[in-house]
Amino acid sequence: MAATLQQLNVRINKHVPHRIHHIRSMLNRMFETKFSSDQIRICLENWELILPIYKDRIGGKSFEEIENEIKAYCSELYQNYAPSLLNCFIPLVHQCINPGCSKNDLGNPIPHHDVIIFCCSERLKKGTMFIKKCSKCSYKYFYNYYIRPGGQKMLTIHPDDEIFVIFSYYGYEKRLLMQIDSDILFKHTGFSNFTNAFNHLNFKFDKEETNIMNRFHLQKTWFLWRLGHFCANENFRMPVPDQQDFHTTLLDLLPFIQELFTKKWGKRDYHAFCRGSCSATIVLDGHQKATRRVCSIKNISIPSIDGTIREVKVGCSAKPAYKSKKCQGHLSTDENDEGSHSNNNLVRTHRHRRARARRQQFRFNPR
């Protein structure tokens, strides 16, 4: 019983409201005793004097049994108590970062709101978000951001962060966001496929779960998480945009981000890789698929938007005509013709023509 009491004391965060009351209720429930809250409090305060030093699992319940007991106890209470006993997310900062406060110590953590965290291993877990306040400047510090007295929300990135919560009451485990990086690089997946796979797997294990991952919420959160890491490495404090004004705020930040990007890649360490006009950049879509046939005419060019690179040869992207290597518009054109055929509307015309043909013709796949 003594070891179990100490395990409950270790497992439940010390900032949970009415903590001693919950520990007393769970201990009396497990061992059918009638301890009072004062007895439990005195025992824990004088633990090193009353009892010898126990290891976590000697004579007591295992870690899994303790957690299951807490979950069973929480299921009988109203919902606000259930998350805070198991998962407490407390800001990692201890001193105010406002220069006018001269590193004033922050107050004790205060429970603010409940959150739902999507995870890799546990699928999802519920917890309570705590905040810290500065007594001098009234700065409010959350787990991943802080709010100035004027209401401006500023992003904070710490290496020891376990979760990332920015929008509403949903967040993501750091490992899950890193998994998205790997899936994008090596599995060629997207946010829609990732969320569909996660929700499908979650439904297989728990069909009564109503909290599902939203693709757009994940996409915005992951983007801010990655952009925040870049700004933190460049010592730039980034404001957090609201979900409603997400794109507008990012466009306002674009000049500052572009300046940081130029400073990063314009350092002397990268000059050795520059050859010729290193500022010349071209972005285009080759519209070349491995399973799609295109016209054999290659002398189709499109002009550059700013005019500095002149014309870019991309070739004709139209589908070849029946029993021919050339499209319908180039049947009379010689492939050996070296002249430049510049036609901006050619690709769009053939695309609409193919779409119209598909709508008019009914296709049936036996499979």
Side-chain angles (χ1 to χ4, degrees):
M1 185 187 301
T4 302
L5 173 62
Q6 183 64 5
Q7 285 178 328
L8 290 173
N9 182 45
V10 172
R11 183 63 183 87
I12 299 177
N13 192 279
K14 63 179 181 179
H15 298 290
V16 170
H18 311 292
R19 182 172 176 271
I20 299 298
H21 168 75
H22 297 307
I23 294 177
R24 175 190 65 83
S25 300
M26 282 184 280
L27 191 69
N28 290 338
R29 170 177 172 160
M30 285 186 280
F31 295 98
E32 297 182 356
T33 54
K34 296 181 179 180
F35 289 108
S36 64
S37 299
D38 292 336
Q39 289 176 316
I40 297 297
R41 179 179 53 79
I42 294 174
C43 182
L44 292 176
E45 290 176 354
N46 300 277
W47 174 260
E48 296 181 357
L49 301 176
I50 298 176
L51 297 171
I53 300 176
Y54 280 90
K55 294 184 179 180
D56 286 346
R57 293 177 178 82
I58 294 181
K61 295 181 178 296
S62 64
F63 179 83
E64 290 77 11
E65 291 176 332
I66 290 293
E67 189 152 323
N68 291 333
E69 290 289 345
I70 296 177
K71 290 181 179 179
Y73 169 75
C74 292
S75 62
E76 298 180 0
L77 302 175
Y78 54 91
Q79 191 175 2
N80 290 339
Y81 273 138
S84 60
L85 295 182
L86 285 173
N87 302 298
C88 298
F89 305 109
I90 301 175
L92 302 180
V93 293
H94 303 288
Q95 294 179 335
C96 184
I97 62 177
N98 185 9
C101 289
S102 64
K103 297 183 178 180
N104 180 44
D105 292 336
L106 301 178
N108 293 327
I110 304 173
H112 190 263
H113 64 268
D114 297 336
V115 292
I116 297 176
I117 306 299
F118 294 102
C119 308
C120 288
S121 57
E122 304 177 36
R123 297 186 297 279
L124 60 87
K125 60 183 179 182
K126 298 179 180 180
T128 298
M129 191 68 65
F130 284 68
I131 65 171
K132 293 180 179 180
K133 295 182 179 180
C134 178
S135 58
K136 290 186 178 181
C137 62
S138 301
Y139 271 42
K140 296 180 181 179
Y141 292 87
F142 291 77
Y143 195 86
N144 299 113
Y145 59 91
Y146 65 91
I147 300 179
R148 293 173 175 173
Q152 188 179 19
K153 186 188 296 186
M154 306 298 293
L155 188 66
T156 55
I157 298 292
H158 296 282
D160 299 330
D161 288 343
E162 299 178 2
I163 61 172
F164 192 72
V165 182
I166 292 294
F167 303 121
S168 65
Y169 302 114
Y170 291 91
Y172 303 90
E173 189 183 31
K174 180 180 178 180
R175 183 180 177 85
L176 185 138
L177 296 176
M178 298 176 66
Q179 181 183 345
I180 296 178
D181 295 347
S182 302
D183 290 352
I184 291 176
L185 291 174
F186 302 106
K187 294 183 179 179
H188 309 290
T189 186
F191 294 100
S192 179
N193 295 334
F194 186 89
T195 53
N196 291 337
F198 183 91
N199 294 330
H200 177 74
L201 182 62
N202 192 25
F203 179 77
K204 290 290 185 181
F205 284 93
D206 190 358
K207 296 184 178 181
E208 298 181 357
E209 183 59 56
T210 58
N211 296 295
I212 61 176
M213 185 183 296
N214 181 270
R215 169 232 171 151
F216 299 101
H217 187 275
L218 173 65
Q219 182 175 331
K220 293 179 180 179
T221 305
W222 177 86
F223 183 81
L224 282 183
W225 179 67
R226 269 294 162 207
L227 185 59
H229 275 81
F230 171 75
C231 294
N233 293 335
E234 300 299 321
N235 297 322
F236 174 74
R237 295 197 178 276
M238 174 185 165
V240 180
D242 295 331
Q243 276 192 290
Q244 293 78 11
D245 303 329
F246 186 81
H247 297 285
T248 304
T249 307
L250 289 182
L251 288 177
D252 295 337
L253 291 174
L254 183 59
F256 302 99
I257 303 299
Q258 191 173 9
E259 183 179 354
L260 291 178
F261 183 85
T262 305
K263 287 182 178 179
K264 175 180 175 61
W265 296 105
K267 294 179 180 178
R268 186 173 300 177
D269 299 338
Y270 302 101
H271 286 179
F273 302 96
C274 298
R275 293 292 184 271
S277 56
C278 68
S279 298
T281 306
I282 178 172
V283 179
L284 56 87
D285 183 5
H287 54 256
Q288 301 292 333
K289 302 292 188 298
T291 58
R292 175 179 153 214
R293 300 173 63 232
V294 294
C295 179
S296 61
I297 299 297
K298 305 301 181 184
N299 295 325
I300 301 297
S301 302
I302 59 174
S304 175
I305 296 178
D306 56 1
T308 57
I309 314 180
R310 300 181 182 176
E311 293 185 346
V312 181
K313 184 182 292 186
V314 296
C316 179
S317 63
K319 183 179 179 180
Y322 182 66
K323 292 185 177 181
S324 176
K325 294 182 179 181
K326 295 179 288 186
C327 66
Q328 194 71 28
H330 289 113
L331 287 177
S332 59
T333 304
D334 187 6
E335 294 186 24
N336 298 324
D337 185 10
E338 295 297 332
S340 177
H341 304 276
S342 179
N343 191 349
N344 298 334
N345 298 323
L346 184 62
V347 177
R348 181 178 299 178
T349 302
H350 284 287
R351 186 183 302 139
H352 289 308
R353 187 182 301 168
R354 292 195 301 269
R356 186 166 58 253
R358 284 196 298 266
R359 289 194 298 268
Q360 294 175 355
Q361 182 181 3
F362 176 79
R363 295 182 181 181
F364 177 74
N365 190 345
R367 290 183 298 176

